[in-house]
Structures are given as structure tokens and as C-alpha cells.
Amino acid sequence: MCSAKNKSVSKGFIPPPIPDNEALRLKDLESLKILDTDAEERFDRITALIADVFDAPIVLLSLVDRDRQWFKSIHGLNVPETSREVSFCGHAIFEPETMVVEDAHDDPRFCLNPLVTGEPNIRFYAGAVIRGPSGLPVGTCCLIDRKPRKLTDRDRKRLVIFAKLLESELLQSVKLTRLQQETVMSAYFDPLTGLPNQRLFLDRLEQRLKIAGSLDSVTICVVNICRFSNVINAWGKDNANKALVVIGKRIKAAIKNKGTVARLSGDRFAVFTNRSKSARYERTPSHLRDPIPFELNDLFNQPVDVGGVELHLEANVGVTSYPHDGEDAASLLENAARCSKSVGACAHVQYYSQTLSDEASKAFAIEQRLRSAIANQSLHLHYQPIIDLKSGRLQSLEALLRWRDETLGNVSPADFIPVAEATGVIAEIGRWVVEEVCSQLVAWKRQYPGQLVPVTINLSTIQLMRSETAQEIESIVARAGVDSALIQLEVTESCFLKDFDSALCSMKKMLELGFKFLIDDFGTGFSSLSYLNKLPLHKLKLDRSFVSGIDHSDKCKALAKHIIALSQELGLIVVAEGVEDAAQARILTSMHCDQAQGYLYSRPLPPAEISQRFFED
Ligand code: C2E
Ligand code: CA
Ligand code: CA
């Protein structure tokens, strides 16, 4: 029988011991996020059913917390919790499955327990363990009676099943909460970089504008990585994504608490500044003094290391400022995004202005239409003759793209090539040009045998740097059965500025396949004569800016003369571009320039007119 003299019963009863893994157990319980929540019918229905099945006056879903047992569901009792010290469940959680106390008066652990000696006067207790997400015991489902009872084996098994039912209901709510959290995360955060997405950015910017007031200005920047589609094409989506993560981290580290960073979509990030500084008494608008756009731009000076591959990325930063450039978050962001799409140029900080916005709109329209230009058959090639200055005979033809769009009308290649490069469409357009030139050469060969001249094709930096380009051109030319000596490739100095070695390597690959190279627009860029020596070139095209000044500027004349002489010494054939009048042609001839191209001889013409004017039937 029960005796208070029992040595271990210092308080008159034995409090439950604390498990060794208590910290982890509490963490498991905590992760359920259920403590102190309201009663829920889904649990109460089960405890009521258990009470009915076992004919028990009290049934509890009890969770054993640090210092208490808290009841998520209570049937037949009016107490929300008790101290852990007096709890039966505190003992039960040490059992693998169940703990049964048939008569508390006979059990030295409980006979003097206040819950036994006083309300609710427990005599019988049967608790089945409930486990948390990591499998640690967090509580029990227990039956309590005010009179002693026995529990058959069958009932014990049934109680365990009920406990499992409650347990799965509890775990279900963890899954549900997690799901809810994930839903919130994906609605407001970019899954790749973990940065806020456009929606959250706009929301926060709207809040920021509300507190900005009239003396405060907010700078909004959109960072747009240039030609990112080429990175995807060249290095694959996984590496491209890794690069985006690195860039996101760089931006975040650079901005710290100076602003809010977000990833808008694809290759675009956005930042707005937190700094609030009075702009009223300063002469320069504060957004123009803000260093952040330039700091963002500088982040691209360092290559991005992606699994051992160094990617040299560039970005444009479009900038708007509140209240100058827009009243609400959406228009400020949209205008900054437009600025960041500035055509052609890269690695620029571009401030918003209406003119620029018009230009950007134009680029946007071009981008949209260009994608379908090939399918719509709205691209054509014109050919411009290159003439031998001594004999006046046709030497070669330059293929020049023409685009007549249904809505935009005629768009100059000077306008759409940069957009094609920026969007990656250039690869497809480039292939189309080679195919078109090949089929034209085949047609001319059939009609005018013996009169064929080489055709030069313009290759942009992007095309030259794409590793697939050489193979693509080679297979198109081979498929058409065209001699590769009839195709020559024009590249500009800018192709070699960024990464000389890769450009040279790519060039050599094509050279081995039998294609000759010309350097185009020479004199407009870096104009390094030492380049000429290093590059395996066939011809040099002297830019028309030299030619146009040749008859009135001594400087132009002197430069042109030396470039021609030096190039010829290096074994290059020199072509003067943009020759528009006879005086220019005369001077060039006197300088021993080899060939010329320009309106004096012919504008770029459709192939039929070339045949008519330059080939003999
Ligand atoms: P570019 O390679 O320097 O081509 C020569 C440009 O000068 C052509 O402009 C041509 O129409 C123009 N031109 C020719 N003779 C004269 C002249 O006597 N006076 C003047 N003022 N201009 C003359 P276009 O056709 O507008 O092409 C512009 C640029 O677009 C080209 O410059 C080239 O860089 C690019 N482009 C054209 N077609 C292609 C192409 O198929 N692929 C690539 N990647 N770029 C192309
Ligand atoms: Ca050219
Ligand atoms: Ca040129």
C-alpha cells in the first residue's frame, strides 16, 4: 500500500524524471507549433470517440512541455494544463508505447500525487505515447478514470491506434504550416537567390514612398545583365543560375542596409535606397549624387567564378528617382527597367529621361518583333560591291541585312543588330544570313558560271565568341556545296578588346575550315596596329570616317596613307569604305589603296539588281 515514508518520495510523490535528450525533445514539440493554440474540432472529435469506446470519463491529448503538461484536447476535465511535476504523462513518455496504472493508490509514484489525493481523483491511468516529427516522445493520448480499472491487451492495442491517429493529425498540421510558409515564400521571394521578388519589392517600395515625404528622394536601380542568353547558351542553364546567385549575393553585400535588393526576373535585379537625405538645398538632384548605381555597375568588374569557369559579365544599370521620375512604385520600377535596356551599349549607368524612354520603347518593340522576323520572312539580304581601284572590276560583295517589318517599317541593322546581340537572337539570324548567302552563291554559280566573287559576311563579337559558330557555318556551307573560299568574314576590332585570346582561338578554328577574315571599320576603335600583326587577316577595311575626311583634312589623309602602307607591308589587302565621290577615289588610288566600297560605285542592292548590273549574261 501507499506510504509517504518511501525514501524517494521527498514531496510525497515521485515527479517524472527529465529525459537525457530533453532539449531535442522540446525542439520536436516546438516544431509542432501547437502549444497554446485554440481547441480544434479535429482533435476533440477523436478524444470524444475514445471516451465513448473505452467508457472513460476523462480523455486527454496531453503534450509534455518544459515545466507543464498542456492539453490540446480535453474530454471530461476543466483544466487546460497541470505542472509537469504532477503529470502521469511525464512518466509515460519514457515508455516505448504505453504506460498503464491500474490503481494509483497502489503505485508509490502516484499514491500521494495531488491529482490522486485531490481533484480529479485519478485512480486509473492509461497513456499511449505520441511522437513528434523526429520520432521523439512529445506527449500522450491518455484515458483517466476515478476508479481502478484493468486494460486488456486488445484495449491497449486500440489505445495505441487512437494515439497514432492523433499523432498523424498533429503532424499533418506541421506539414500544413510548412506548406503555408512555402506558399508565402514563393509568393514573395525568388526561389533561386532567396531575394525578395518583384511583388515584394514593389510592396516595400510603395511603403518607402509613403514615408519619403517631399524633402526625401528615393533612388531606384534596375541591374540588367547584358547578353545573358549567351551565357545560358554557352555555359548551360545550371551555370547561368549559379552566376545569378553569385551576382545576387554581391549586390546584397554591396547594398547592406543602404537599400532593399530584389531579383525581378531572369537576369534583372532591382535596388531602392533607404537613405533619406534632404535634396532641397543641393544644386544637383540627390539621385544624381547617389553613388549606388555606380557601385552596382562596379560589381561586374570582377569575373564570376562558376565551378572553375570565369564568366565576364556586364550589366546596364537603369536609374529613376522619386519624386522626379514617377509617382508610384510600379512606374518608377518600369522606367528604371526601360533605362537598363539601353540599346547597344553595355556597362552603363543610364538615368531616366523621356527621350531615353522613347529609345528604350523602340528597342523593346524591335526585340518583340525581331524574334519572329525569320519565320515571317521579313529579313532580306542586300549586297554591296567591292571594287578593285586599279581595274574598276568587281572584287567581292558584302552581304548586308535588311529588315522590313509590317508594323515598324524598315529597320536599320544599326538599330536591330545590337538588340539581336543583346537578346541572343543574333545566333539564329547569323545562321540565316549564312544560309541565304550560300543559296545565293549557288544560284549565281548556276546562272553566271565563271563570274562568281567572294561574299563577305559580318560577324558580331557575340557570334565570334560562341563556340558553336565555326561548326555551324562550316556545316551550312558544306551542305550547300559552296567552296569555303567564297565566304569571307568581317569582324571588328571590338571583337578582340574583351578577350583577345578566345577571339583569336575562335578565328583560327574558322580559318582552318577555309574561311578568310577581314577587319572591319578599322580606325574607329582601338586602332592598334600591333593587333594587325597578331591576327591572321586577309583584308583591312578602312573606316568611312577616314575616307570622308580624306579630301579636306590633312590629318585624315596622313593617317589613311600610313595605315594603307603599313597594312600592305603586313601583307593585307586594303579596302576603303564609304567612298562617295570621285575625288576620294582618286586620292585613295594615289595612296595605292587596293579596293573600294561605297555609294560612288553602288549602294547595297537586292541580288537581282546585282546580277543585272555586275554580271554578264
Ligand atoms: P558595316 O559592316 O560597316 O557596313 C557598311 C555600312 O555602310 C552599311 O550600312 C552600308 O549600307 C553603309 N554604306 C556603304 N557605302 C556607304 C557610303 O558610301 N556612304 C555611307 N554613308 N554609308 C555607306 P548598313 O547596311 O546600315 O549596316 C550597318 C551595320 O550593320 C554594318 O556596318 C554592320 O556592322 C551591321 N550589319 C549589317 N548586316 C549585318 C549582318 O548580316 N550581320 C551582322 N552581324 N551585322 C550586320
Ligand atoms: Ca561590314
Ligand atoms: Ca564597315
Side-chain angles (χ1 to χ4, degrees), residues 14-31:
I14 301 178
I18 301 297
D20 294 338
N21 58 356
E22 177 68 356
L24 289 174
R25 199 194 65 81
L26 287 173
K27 214 165 151 195
D28 222 18
L29 173 62
E30 177 60 30
S31 75

Side-chain angles (χ1 to χ4, degrees), residues 192 228 231-232 234-246 304-309 311 313:
L192 180 67
F228 198 67
V231 174
I232 301 175
W235 302 105
K237 192 136 183 75
D238 282 354
N239 283 325
N241 279 346
K242 282 182 197 157
L244 288 173
V245 172
V246 175
V304 176
D305 191 320
V306 175
V309 177
L311 300 181
L313 300 176

Side-chain angles (χ1 to χ4, degrees), residues 398 458 490 520:
E398 177 175 5
N458 291 282
E490 299 197 6
D520 199 2

Side-chain angles (χ1 to χ4, degrees), residues 417-435:
I417 294 289
V419 178
E421 289 184 321
T423 53
V425 181
I426 191 71
E428 198 187 344
I429 293 184
R431 284 192 293 271
W432 180 85
V433 170
V434 181
E435 275 164 12

Side-chain angles (χ1 to χ4, degrees), residues 381 384 398-402 412-417 421 426 429-430 433 457-461 463 490 492 520-521 541 543-544 577-580 597-600 602-604:
L381 286 182
Q384 189 176 29
E398 177 175 5
L400 291 160
L401 265 168
R402 296 293 174 258
S412 155
D415 287 333
F416 72 80
I417 294 289
E421 289 184 321
I426 191 71
I429 293 184
V433 170
I457 292 175
N458 291 282
L459 268 198
S460 67
T461 311
Q463 290 172 280
E490 299 197 6
T492 59
D520 199 2
D521 302 344
K541 295 182 86 173
D543 189 68
R544 72 164 173 271
E577 291 194 288
V579 180
E580 293 182 347
Q597 174 181 7
Y599 296 167
L600 174 65
S602 167
R603 287 183 177 259

